[in-house]
Amino acid sequence: MTVTKIIDQARSEKRTVLTEIEAKQILLEAGIGCTKTKLASTKEQAVSLCEEFGYPVVLKISSVDITHKSDAGGVKVNLKDKTEMEAAFDEIMTSCRAKFPDANIEGISVQKMAKPGIEVIIGMTKDPSFGPVLMFGLGGVFVEVLKDVAFRIVPLEKVDASEMIEEIKGKKLLEGYRGQDPADIPCLEEMLLKLSAFIDGTPGIQEIDMNPVFAYKEGAVVVDARIILEKA
Ligand code: ADP
Ligand code: MG
C-alpha cells in the first residue's frame, strides 16, 4: 500500500529518484529493518523529533538533487543534545546550499544514531539481459577499492543467499575478526531473500542501494538507502 503510494507520488512529480526517507519506508514495508528516520522541514520540527527519538541522533540533508550527502557536508552523526543538533542543522543547510545552489531541499532527515556494526552493502540493479540482479558485499573500501562483491539473479533461492555471503573474500570479517562481534549471517540472508521477493513482486524499480547496512551479532539495520525508479 505505502509502496504504491510512494511510487505514484514520485511519478506525479516526474521524479525517478526517491528520497532516503521514502526508500526506507519502502524497505520497511518489504520487511527490511531501517534506522528510524523522519523528515523535519524546520529546525523546530527537528527539535521535537529528536525529543521523540532520544539523543544521540543523526541529521542528513534530504534532497533528491544531492546523491552523495556526506560529500556535500550533508551528514552529521552522533549529535548528543539539542545544542549540538541545532548547530549541525545550520551547518548542513549552509554547506549544501553553497555546494548545490540549485538543489531543491525538502528538509533534513532526523534519524536515530545506530550503534556501530560491521558495514555491509546490499544492492539491486537491472541488467538489460538478466533482469534484476542482487549484490552483496562488505562496505567502505571493500566495495570501493577491492570490488569484493557477489551477484545473483532475482529471484533468489535460500541457497543463493547463503552462497553470496559465503563467496566474498572478506567473509572472515563477518565471522568475528580480532575480538569483534560476528555478524548475524542468517539475518543478512533473510534481508537478501526479502529484497529479492520484494523486487520480484514490484515492477518499476530500476535500482536499490542499501549502503551501509550495519550488521550486528543479533540483527542488522539499514542506515542509508536509495531507490531509483525506471524511466516512465
Ligand atoms: P551518503 O549519502 O554520503 O552515502 P550516508 O547516509 O551513507 O550518506 O551517511 C554517511 C555515513 O554516516 C554512513 O556510511 C554511516 O557510517 C554514517 N551514518 C549515517 N546514518 C547513520 C545513522 N543513522 N546511524 C549511525 N551512523 C550513520
Ligand atoms: Mg551511504
Side-chain angles (χ1 to χ4, degrees):
M1 193 55 215
T2 317
V3 177
T4 335
K5 238 173 90 184
I6 293 172
I7 294 178
D8 289 351
Q9 175 71 30
R11 293 278 185 219
S12 75
E13 294 169 14
K14 309 239 178 302
R15 278 194 285 138
T16 52
V17 180
L18 303 186
T19 65
E20 181 187 344
I21 297 170
E22 291 170 327
K24 283 178 170 172
Q25 278 172 341
I26 287 180
L27 291 174
L28 277 176
E29 202 72 14
I32 296 172
C34 300
T35 45
K36 205 169 171 189
T37 302
K38 283 189 185 170
L39 180 73
S41 319
T42 63
K43 213 194 286 180
E44 292 65 40
Q45 277 179 11
V47 171
S48 55
L49 283 177
C50 291
E51 273 155 19
E52 179 191 326
F53 288 8
Y55 291 93
V57 297
V58 175
L59 297 188
K60 295 185 201 174
I61 195 70
S62 185
S63 167
V64 288
D65 301 318
I66 303 176
T67 308
H68 301 290
K69 300 178 289 293
S70 308
D71 296 350
V75 179
K76 300 271 179 194
V77 302
N78 204 21
L79 306 166
K80 292 191 208 64
D81 53 37
K82 182 165 176 272
T83 314
E84 278 188 26
M85 192 281 290
E86 287 181 325
F89 190 103
D90 293 334
E91 283 167 34
I92 288 176
M93 281 300 189
T94 308
S95 170
C96 292
R97 286 213 176 102
K99 290 204 169 107
F100 292 90
D102 300 327
N104 177 16
I105 295 172
E106 180 197 27
I108 283 192
S109 80
V110 177
Q111 317 191 353
K112 193 81 193 136
M113 173 82 192
K115 65 176 164 60
I118 302 176
E119 287 194 23
V120 303
I121 62 167
I122 295 176
M124 185 282 290
T125 46
K126 272 192 181 154
D127 181 273
S129 29
F130 299 119
V133 176
L134 287 201
M135 183 199 69
F136 174 82
L138 288 166
V141 291
F142 293 98
V143 58
E144 281 154 27
V145 184
L146 303 172
K147 312 274 180 250
D148 185 14
V149 288
F151 295 94
R152 284 295 182 284
I153 297 170
V154 171
L156 263 67
E157 306 264 347
K158 208 171 178 324
V159 58
D160 298 314
S162 29
E163 279 176 7
M164 278 177 92
I165 297 175
E166 196 61 45
E167 74 188 35
I168 58 165
K169 296 189 202 76
K171 165 86 198 303
K172 273 213 164 71
L173 290 170
L174 296 175
E175 292 168 339
Y177 178 72
R178 294 207 168 165
Q180 222 190 3
D181 275 342
D184 187 343
I185 292 174
C187 173
L188 295 174
E189 290 174 359
E190 199 57 37
M191 270 190 176
L192 288 166
L193 292 170
K194 281 179 176 164
L195 187 64
S196 167
F198 169 70
I199 288 158
D200 212 24
T202 316
I205 297 181
Q206 181 62 40
E207 201 179 307
I208 298 184
D209 192 20
M210 296 151 51
N211 181 10
V213 175
F214 285 0
Y216 303 115
K217 201 169 157 192
E218 274 176 55
V221 67
V222 177
V223 159
D224 183 25
R226 195 172 138 78
I227 293 182
I228 298 176
L229 303 178
E230 284 172 355
K231 293 216 167 62

